[in-house]
Amino acid sequence: MRLLTLAFVLFFGTIYAQDDSSDSSDKFDKKLEKLSSQKGMITTYFGENSELFFEIPENLLNKDLLMVTRLRQLPANYSAYRNAGSKTSEQMIHFQKKGNRIDMIQVSTTNIADDDDPILISVQQNNFNPILASFKIEKEANNSFIIDVSKLYNDDSPSFNIIGERQKKEYKISGVDKSRSRIDEVKSFPKNTEIIHTLTYKVNKPPRGNSANTFTFQINHSIIELPEDLMPVRYTDPRVGWFSLKKYNYSSDKLKSDSYTIAKRWRLEPKDKKAYANGELVEPVKPIVYYLDPATPTKWIPYFIKGIEDWNKAFNKIGFKNAIIAKVAPTKEEDPDFSPEDVRYSTVRYVASTTRNAVGPSVADPRTGEIIESDIIWYHNHLRSYRNRYLLETGAANPKARTLDTPEEEIGEMMRRVISHEIGHALGLPHNMKASSAYPVDSLRSGKFTQKMGIAASIMDYARYNYVAQPGDENIRFIRKLGEYDMYTIDWGYRYFDGKTPEEIKAILKAMVDGKSMQKIYMFGGRNNDPDSQTENIGDDPIKASQYGLSNLKIVTQNLEEWTTPKGENYDELEELYGELLSVYRRYIYHVSSMIGGVHETLLNKGQDGTPYKVVSEEEQLQALAFLKENVWTTQNWLMPEELVSKFSSRGTLNRVVGINTSLLKRLLSTSKLNAMLNSNATLSGNGLNVMKLMKTLSKDIMAIKNPDLAERQLQAAFVNHLIDLSEDKNLAAEAKAYVAKHKKDLMKDLERKQKNNNDILSAHFLYLHEVLRKDAEQ
């Protein structure tokens, strides 16, 4: 079977026709001489006026190349889901010669068929390759063809997908302003060519803070030569998390095209296959090497190296020694040809930016899934996020966290684990949010357990800190580390099988997963509606874990000023930390709220003991509602002490806290959740909480509060108004609407009785709510 160059049209191609007039050869040569040239896979000629020519050697024609487009810099407040380093397109291309033109063809490896299968003809005919761009050959010499690609990179080619359709509509973005767009930099290397350019767009409805009515992006395009020697594929197993590529096999024996996925992996092969087969530790033919950015502060280099090489523990278990190596990048004096843009080198880049993030992208061969290179990006201000959360989530039980001058070794340990997480992505591992629920909550209070096992079964979860451990617990590990799931998934993805076909390897690995995947420490899961697959949580019981977390947070609140604000300093840091403290509170209560209407998901195959989808039991959901009654619906005065809030806010924070509560209420009574509960209770295994009982419980817990204070009255008003909104929602199921109608009617009676109150404020409050419902009933 071979991979075919078949169309998989993601974007409309644009043909860029060049001016047919031609200068004499001498004149053209003189023009090129004035441009800066770089030899490489594609020799480039680049001028200050955004002129760019490619010299395409004949032996590069019809070769498999990968073109990757990423955002290098982008406007502020543009999108929550795109940041520097985000990929906007990735497509395999060919340069093809057609007469006096070179066409850039988009090629697909998604659809395949056997060479001797007659269906091959139909697949080819029904998947025609689109032309992304077409260029006149300006000069032909020395078995190469020179083309002018200036317009391609000075304009907005649809194939680059720089601006998404949603952003175009939201901001009313017009076309590119060519007077403010340019090619910035071009570099060519033996295996890749890099083009960096700036595009400026006119914006008719800019986001807040953008007074220029302009979006300017800097974009990085990589054209990469793919390996001629194809790496054997590895078929994925949905019970083991792995980044993958989807394929369609039209020669399948099944009565349809057979879809399957292959894993994205580095090519890791032992130097001595015989020694490897005998169980000896063997170095790989080509280890995975990461070079550290020379801009990395010297004091953090050891932690970055440890974070990268921590994965050797997992590789050692499957027979590889020194499989992954970290090195400091050579200086210009040591190696003038070294460049982080060279696809032969993978790097960890340290970016001086206010962005609080780190990312771990990689580039993979779309034919086989082989990872070719990756660049981990660490943004400097990410340190601030970790410092703040370390104090807020562990300060009650962890004396080292009770300061904004966090000890260097503690910050270094955090950085080490963040880099390990991002390297995990670059190795092919997606997030595994189920790993944080593998350990019993009370085990997280054990020094012996946490020092050995960490705080979650995988570093690929968002389980950053141990917020469960209580004051007095000894020898606790507070920061995450690699877990048993990480060892297991590396075994699945990188164990070498000499002489085995992909189908034989698939059977061997399936047996391994069959034997382990039902154990909690080896489970994989995304978020979905599963309370065991949440972000930022730890432990197998969200209620107990959040109770411990809130207990600690109350201690932190009492000491926040002392731990953050030395004498003589202003209260800016205190205000920032308090804002993040509210976010921590929100996370803890949302962890519990996810149990309501939740569905436990277990990825398994027939024959394994278990049920893939099972609703959270009614008993557990009622316990979650009881937690919310105690810790959310009644005013949490500890969360906004006046002696603290008065230091930095003239308006107080009541509305912020009420906003958290009302948002949670609307989430619990959202149309999507109510409809999903009706459906899952009717069709899935388990005895869950029904919608009527949910509404009754919330109504009682919120509306029956005696002598409600201001925050509780605002919550009651939000409850009444939300019921009205639900009754008018066309998407709400009829069954749920019936429950809403009954609750509105019952509430009117109850509010009429409550109006007879000696307290004028409460009497007016209940009268107002009654009138809101009465007017709604009359419409």
Side-chain angles (χ1 to χ4, degrees):
M1 182 180 293
R2 66 183 175 87
L3 297 174
L4 302 177
T5 57
L6 305 174
F8 182 63
V9 182
L10 298 176
F11 315 107
F12 290 104
T14 299
I15 297 178
Y16 290 97
Q18 306 299 323
D19 187 355
D20 288 337
S21 62
S22 59
D23 294 329
S24 66
S25 178
D26 289 342
K27 189 173 182 180
F28 184 74
D29 288 343
K30 288 179 181 179
K31 181 177 182 178
L32 289 186
E33 287 173 3
K34 294 178 181 179
L35 304 179
S36 173
S37 66
Q38 288 193 47
K39 292 187 179 295
M41 178 189 75
I42 297 173
T43 296
T44 60
Y45 302 88
F46 173 53
E48 294 180 355
N49 295 321
S50 288
E51 295 174 287
L52 177 60
F53 293 84
F54 281 176
E55 183 173 341
I56 308 291
E58 189 172 30
N59 61 12
L60 197 66
L61 294 178
N62 300 308
K63 268 195 174 182
D64 292 342
L65 307 173
L66 190 66
M67 186 162 67
V68 182
T69 302
R70 296 186 189 278
L71 297 176
R72 187 181 175 107
Q73 296 187 70
L74 68 166
N77 304 318
Y78 171 67
S79 171
Y81 303 102
R82 287 195 171 185
N83 50 43
S86 291
K87 188 186 302 179
T88 66
S89 76
E90 181 175 313
Q91 51 202 319
M92 197 167 90
I93 64 169
H94 282 177
F95 285 108
Q96 291 185 352
K97 184 176 182 295
K98 296 290 182 181
N100 68 339
R101 307 190 72 83
I102 297 292
D103 292 342
M104 180 190 287
I105 306 293
Q106 184 189 68
V107 179
S108 172
T109 58
T110 302
N111 304 293
I112 67 171
D114 291 339
D115 290 344
D116 56 356
D117 192 332
I119 200 174
L120 173 63
I121 299 171
S122 177
V123 174
Q124 289 174 322
Q125 291 174 342
N126 288 282
N127 294 274
F128 189 58
N129 295 323
I131 299 174
L132 298 179
S134 183
F135 311 95
K136 176 190 171 186
I137 297 174
E138 304 289 344
K139 181 178 180 180
E140 182 175 347
N142 301 321
N143 296 318
S144 64
F145 311 94
I146 299 177
I147 57 177
D148 185 351
V149 297
S150 308
K151 191 173 181 181
L152 178 67
Y153 295 106
N154 279 312
D155 207 341
D156 182 14
S157 168
S159 61
F160 297 153
N161 196 32
I162 304 300
I163 305 289
E165 286 300 319
R166 188 181 69 81
Q167 283 79 22
K168 285 182 180 177
K169 292 178 181 178
E170 180 180 356
Y171 301 123
K172 298 187 183 305
I173 299 173
S174 301
V176 169
D177 182 347
K178 295 181 182 179
S179 67
R180 294 183 287 166
S181 301
R182 67 188 66 88
I183 300 173
D184 301 310
E185 187 177 0
V186 180
K187 293 183 179 181
S188 206
F189 303 97
K191 294 289 185 181
N192 65 298
T193 296
E194 304 292 317
I195 304 98
I196 298 170
H197 68 113
T198 296
L199 290 179
T200 298
Y201 297 81
K202 300 171 185 176
V203 182
N204 297 306
K205 190 181 176 183
R208 182 177 298 178
N210 185 324
S211 59
N213 287 26
T214 293
F215 278 160
T216 297
F217 299 83
Q218 190 175 62
I219 300 105
N220 191 115
H221 301 279
S222 303
I223 301 177
I224 301 164
E225 183 176 351
L226 293 174
E228 293 187 11
D229 176 23
L230 299 183
M231 183 184 77
V233 302
R234 182 156 297 184
Y235 298 111
T236 59
D237 187 319
R239 298 168 295 173
V240 183
W242 213 271
F243 289 133
S244 61
L245 299 169
K246 194 166 189 176
K247 304 286 181 180
Y248 293 92
N249 180 11
Y250 284 85
S251 293
S252 169
D253 292 333
K254 298 180 181 179
L255 299 179
K256 61 181 181 68
S257 59
D258 183 19
S259 66
Y260 62 93
T261 55
I262 58 173
K264 292 184 178 182
R265 309 177 303 126
W266 294 82
R267 189 190 297 244
L268 216 57
E269 301 169 343
K271 283 182 179 178
D272 187 334
K273 294 179 180 178
K274 185 176 180 179
Y276 184 89
N278 289 334
E280 298 176 35
L281 276 177
V282 177
E283 291 188 343
V285 173
K286 184 180 179 182
I288 303 165
V289 180
Y290 278 92
Y291 291 89
L292 301 186
D293 191 332
T296 307
T298 304
K299 63 181 178 181
W300 302 133
I301 288 176
Y303 300 105
F304 276 32
I305 292 174
K306 288 178 182 177
I308 294 167
E309 297 186 347
D310 275 342
W311 285 98
N312 276 322
K313 182 179 179 182
F315 286 113
N316 288 348
K317 287 192 172 186
I318 59 170
F320 283 110
K321 178 173 64 175
N322 299 325
I324 186 165
I325 300 168
K327 297 181 178 181
V328 177
T331 64
K332 283 291 182 185
E333 293 72 25
E334 293 170 332
D335 185 353
D337 295 327
F338 178 87
S339 172
E341 280 80 28
D342 191 331
V343 75
R344 295 175 297 173
Y345 307 115
S346 293
T347 61
V348 178
R349 304 196 188 195
Y350 196 100
V351 180
S353 167
T354 57
T355 301
R356 297 190 185 187
N357 199 9
V359 294
S362 62
V363 173
D365 186 337
R367 304 165 303 176
T368 63
E370 178 183 356
I371 296 174
I372 299 168
E373 66 91 34
S374 83
D375 294 293
I376 309 301
I377 303 174
W378 174 279
Y379 299 96
H380 178 72
N381 265 26
H382 205 33
L383 294 172
R384 192 177 188 92
S385 295
Y386 278 82
R387 178 204 69 174
N388 291 358
R389 288 188 57 176
Y390 191 52
L391 184 152
L392 295 170
E393 295 181 28
T394 77
N398 179 14
K400 292 181 180 179
R402 297 170 188 168
T403 175
L404 294 182
D405 295 322
T406 314
E408 182 178 309
E409 64 272 18
E410 298 295 298
I411 290 290
E413 177 69 6
M414 297 173 210
M415 295 179 73
R416 171 182 179 178
R417 305 308 172 176
V418 177
I419 290 296
S420 287
H421 177 96
E422 301 305 337
I423 289 290
H425 285 321
L427 291 173
L429 311 184
H431 291 128
N432 178 11
M433 299 308 180
K434 206 172 187 73
S436 54
S437 64
Y439 298 159
V441 170
D442 283 329
S443 295
L444 298 170
R445 298 188 59 188
S446 163
K448 183 178 180 181
F449 181 90
T450 56
Q451 292 297 342
K452 179 182 179 181
M453 303 295 289
I455 62 176
S458 174
I459 202 163
M460 301 314 298
D461 200 326
Y462 279 169
R464 306 175 203 267
Y465 295 118
N466 185 346
Y467 59 80
V468 162
Q470 298 294 289
D473 295 344
E474 298 181 353
N475 194 33
I476 296 296
R477 180 172 184 87
F478 289 99
I479 301 171
R480 61 183 170 171
K481 67 173 187 174
L482 269 70
E484 286 301 311
Y485 174 85
D486 302 315
M487 309 298 148
Y488 158 71
T489 194
I490 290 295
D491 189 349
W492 182 93
Y494 285 101
R495 184 175 290 276
Y496 182 76
F497 298 93
D498 190 26
K500 301 288 186 183
T501 67
E503 288 73 18
E504 290 172 329
I505 295 171
K506 180 180 179 181
I508 294 169
L509 294 177
K510 180 182 179 299
M512 182 183 87
V513 178
D514 286 346
K516 289 190 173 184
S517 70
M518 295 307 293
Q519 300 176 51
K520 280 194 169 184
I521 60 172
Y522 300 122
M523 284 186 176
F524 172 73
R527 297 176 67 178
N528 297 322
N529 198 27
D530 185 357
D532 294 331
S533 298
Q534 301 190 68
T535 62
E536 317 290 351
N537 72 316
I538 53 175
D540 63 349
D541 183 342
I543 296 175
K544 182 182 281 189
S546 289
Q547 284 172 333
Y548 281 135
L550 289 179
S551 177
N552 282 336
L553 200 59
K554 290 174 182 177
I555 295 172
V556 171
T557 304
Q558 294 170 0
N559 293 279
L560 193 61
E561 181 181 351
E562 178 186 345
W563 294 348
T564 63
T565 313
K567 189 174 181 179
E569 296 293 328
N570 62 33
Y571 295 108
D572 290 350
E573 297 272 23
L574 178 64
E575 183 176 10
E576 177 182 323
L577 267 290
Y578 180 75
E580 294 190 28
L581 183 146
L582 292 180
S583 296
V584 173
Y585 167 76
R586 183 181 183 276
R587 280 198 294 272
Y588 292 164
I589 63 175
Y590 269 58
H591 290 159
V592 175
S593 74
S594 69
M595 298 173 67
I596 300 161
V599 177
H600 294 297
E601 179 187 58
T602 305
L603 300 175
L604 54 82
N605 289 346
K606 185 175 180 179
Q608 291 183 293
D609 186 21
T611 303
Y613 296 98
K614 186 175 182 180
V615 296
V616 177
S617 71
E618 177 180 305
E619 180 184 2
E620 289 176 297
Q621 292 191 52
L622 289 174
Q623 289 173 356
L625 286 170
F627 171 93
L628 298 180
K629 177 184 178 181
E630 179 182 352
N631 296 288
V632 181
W633 309 139
T634 54
T635 304
Q636 306 297 296
N637 290 305
W638 65 267
L639 195 57
M640 41 188 175
E642 62 181 43
E643 65 274 14
L644 179 68
V645 175
S646 297
K647 299 293 197 317
F648 53 78
S649 176
S650 62
R651 297 184 179 181
T653 58
L654 180 67
N655 286 342
R656 295 174 70 180
V657 175
V658 171
I660 293 173
N661 299 349
T662 55
S663 294
L664 176 57
L665 173 63
K666 291 176 181 178
R667 185 185 189 209
L668 293 175
L669 291 178
S670 68
T671 295
S672 60
K673 179 175 280 291
L674 296 178
N675 288 348
M677 288 179 69
L678 287 170
N679 183 63
S680 60
N681 285 336
T683 58
L684 298 183
S685 174
N687 179 30
L689 179 69
N690 65 57
V691 171
M692 174 66 90
K693 199 162 189 176
L694 170 63
M695 288 187 177
K696 278 186 175 180
T697 305
L698 286 173
S699 182
K700 180 182 177 183
D701 292 347
I702 292 171
M703 300 306 296
I705 295 173
K706 292 183 178 180
N707 300 317
D709 60 20
L710 178 57
E712 292 159 349
R713 293 196 296 272
Q714 290 184 353
L715 182 63
Q716 289 177 344
F719 181 76
V720 169
N721 284 306
H722 188 61
L723 287 181
I724 294 173
D725 290 341
L726 283 173
S727 66
E728 297 172 353
D729 192 332
K730 295 179 181 179
N731 295 317
L732 184 65
E735 182 84 1
K737 279 193 174 183
Y739 301 154
V740 172
K742 176 172 173 48
H743 278 287
K744 285 164 60 180
K745 187 174 181 180
D746 292 344
L747 266 178
M748 282 186 69
K749 293 178 181 178
D750 184 49
L751 290 167
E752 188 172 8
R753 179 183 57 80
K754 286 183 175 180
Q755 291 176 47
K756 302 170 184 178
N757 194 301
N758 293 329
N759 185 307
D760 289 345
I761 294 177
L762 294 182
S763 179
H765 168 67
F766 294 128
L767 172 62
Y768 165 73
L769 296 184
H770 181 272
E771 284 299 294
V772 169
L773 287 171
R774 183 185 65 78
K775 290 180 180 179
D776 175 68
E778 291 175 353
Q779 291 180 355

